[in-house]
């Protein structure tokens, strides 16, 4: 089976913003269901508490924003303050591990006692709604299985607000990108080598478009850094990194 590379090129050249197919924005598509992913990380065994530190570490992120807007359940102490990391000496060498997982703030082994949960994000956002933390209902061996849907829902709302402030991608381009994804996904099953060739062509194309877009934006009379960052839904540092990355390829 052959693939029409020229046809695929025509699909994505009509106004691409320049973030690249692998990290496209999908700003015209409502909802988060297709873009959310839950990350559960394995941890190291704690010789002090018996609970694996970092085991099943729960974080939420989207395809579009990745670590720029990585969410997690955060904790508050009885006085309303947010504690710093808890440090653990696992006895395995000079390295002292640290954790901000909500379940390590259980008041044992010198850790402060958390009384409430709230949604947090790596961008600095903190949810305004507080959720009482009932330690009696927490399985100390598998605390990451506790219900944290409240903080997660607040983080979802935060992500929706971030997306609402970003620059919109034209609806027709969003639809075309959906078609490309559907066609390439089917092609992987039928002719994976053709899919690889098509993706390689798309990578070359999006790299060229991204470079041109970056140079068009990064000018003396172009938008300010905070405007660029908001349009992309990322921090100013990440926005600058994007522009520099693509600009150096010219």
């Amino acid at each position: 089976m052959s693939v029409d590379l020229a046809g695929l090129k025509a699909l994505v050249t009509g106004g691409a913003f320049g973030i690249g197919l692998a990290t496209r924005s999908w700003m015209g598509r409502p909802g988060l269901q297709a873009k959310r992913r839950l990350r559960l990380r394995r941890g190291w065994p704690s010789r002090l508490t018996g609970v694996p530190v970092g085991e099943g570490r729960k974080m939420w992120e989207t395809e579009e924003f990745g670590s720029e807007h990585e969410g997690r359940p955060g904790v508050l102490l009885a006085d309303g303050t947010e504690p710093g990391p808890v440090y653990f000496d696992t006895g395995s060498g000079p390295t002292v591990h640290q954790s901000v997982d909500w379940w390590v703030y259980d008041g044992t082994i010198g850790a402060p006692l958390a009384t409430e949960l709230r949604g947090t994000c790596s961008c600095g956002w903190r949810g305004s709604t507080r959720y009482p933390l009932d330690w009696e209902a927490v399985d100390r061996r598998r605390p990451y299985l506790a219900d944290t849907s409240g903080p997660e829902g607040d983080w979802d709302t935060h992500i929706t607000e971030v997306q609402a402030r970003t620059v919109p991608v034209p609806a027709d381009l969003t639809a075309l990108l959906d078609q490309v994804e559907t066609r390439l996904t089917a092609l992987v099953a039928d002719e994976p080598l053709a899919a690889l060739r098509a993706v390689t062509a798309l990578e070359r194309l999006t790299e060229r478009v991204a470079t041109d877009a970056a140079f068009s934006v990064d000018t003396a009379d172009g938008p300010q850094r905070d405007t660029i960052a908001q349009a992309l839904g990322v921090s100013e540092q990440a926005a600058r990194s994007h522009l520099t990355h693509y600009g150096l390829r010219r």
Side-chain angles (χ1 to χ4, degrees):
M1 179 181 294
S2 61
V3 58
D4 182 3
L5 296 180
L8 286 176
K9 179 177 180 178
L11 287 177
V12 297
T13 51
F17 188 73
I19 302 304
L21 185 64
T23 54
R24 57 189 178 274
S25 296
W26 300 120
M27 297 175 200
R29 183 192 296 175
L32 297 171
Q33 293 300 319
K35 296 186 264 307
R36 287 284 313 284
R37 58 174 178 257
L38 173 67
R39 297 169 60 192
L40 294 175
R41 291 180 177 173
R42 305 291 290 184
W44 58 89
S46 170
R47 294 171 58 186
L48 297 176
T49 65
V51 177
V53 179
E55 177 77 11
R57 185 176 304 168
K58 183 180 291 185
M59 290 171 289
W60 319 300
E61 63 180 28
T62 66
E63 275 188 4
E64 179 178 0
F65 300 127
S67 61
E68 279 291 301
H69 288 283
E70 186 177 80
R72 65 167 66 235
V75 300
L76 290 170
L77 306 182
D79 62 1
T81 61
E82 179 176 325
V86 173
Y87 295 89
F88 294 87
D89 182 0
T90 61
S92 58
T95 302
V96 177
H97 298 287
Q98 68 178 38
S99 176
V100 292
D101 294 320
W102 66 265
W103 56 81
V104 303
Y105 299 93
D106 60 359
T108 64
I109 319 297
L113 179 64
T115 59
E116 294 175 311
L117 294 177
R118 65 176 174 179
T120 68
C121 185
S122 58
C123 71
W125 170 87
R126 296 294 184 267
S128 59
T129 304
R130 301 181 178 186
Y131 300 88
L133 180 52
D134 180 9
W135 285 105
E136 294 297 325
V138 176
D139 182 347
R140 296 305 180 97
R141 301 298 303 180
R142 296 186 298 173
Y144 46 85
L145 296 181
D147 180 16
T148 57
S149 58
E152 184 176 3
D154 295 338
W155 176 81
D156 276 342
T157 300
H158 162 63
I159 293 300
T160 299
E161 292 170 350
V162 170
Q163 289 175 321
R165 293 191 294 267
T166 57
V167 61
V169 171
D172 61 333
L173 180 58
T174 299
L176 291 174
L177 288 171
D178 281 339
Q179 292 179 36
V180 172
E181 181 178 17
T182 299
R183 183 67 183 93
L184 286 175
T185 300
L187 191 60
V188 168
D190 298 334
E191 195 68 55
L193 288 177
L196 286 174
R197 187 182 177 200
V199 169
T200 300
L202 286 171
E203 288 176 344
R204 292 195 300 267
L205 171 62
T206 54
E207 185 175 293
R208 290 196 300 270
V209 174
T211 300
D212 291 341
F215 267 86
S216 297
V217 169
D218 195 16
T219 61
D221 57 349
Q224 298 297 311
R225 292 186 180 183
D226 58 342
T227 301
I228 297 173
Q230 178 172 296
L232 299 182
V234 298
S235 65
E236 290 187 27
Q237 180 179 355
R240 170 55 53 184
S241 178
H242 279 308
L243 294 179
T244 301
H245 171 74
Y246 292 123
L248 291 175
R249 294 176 178 270
R250 192 157 191 169

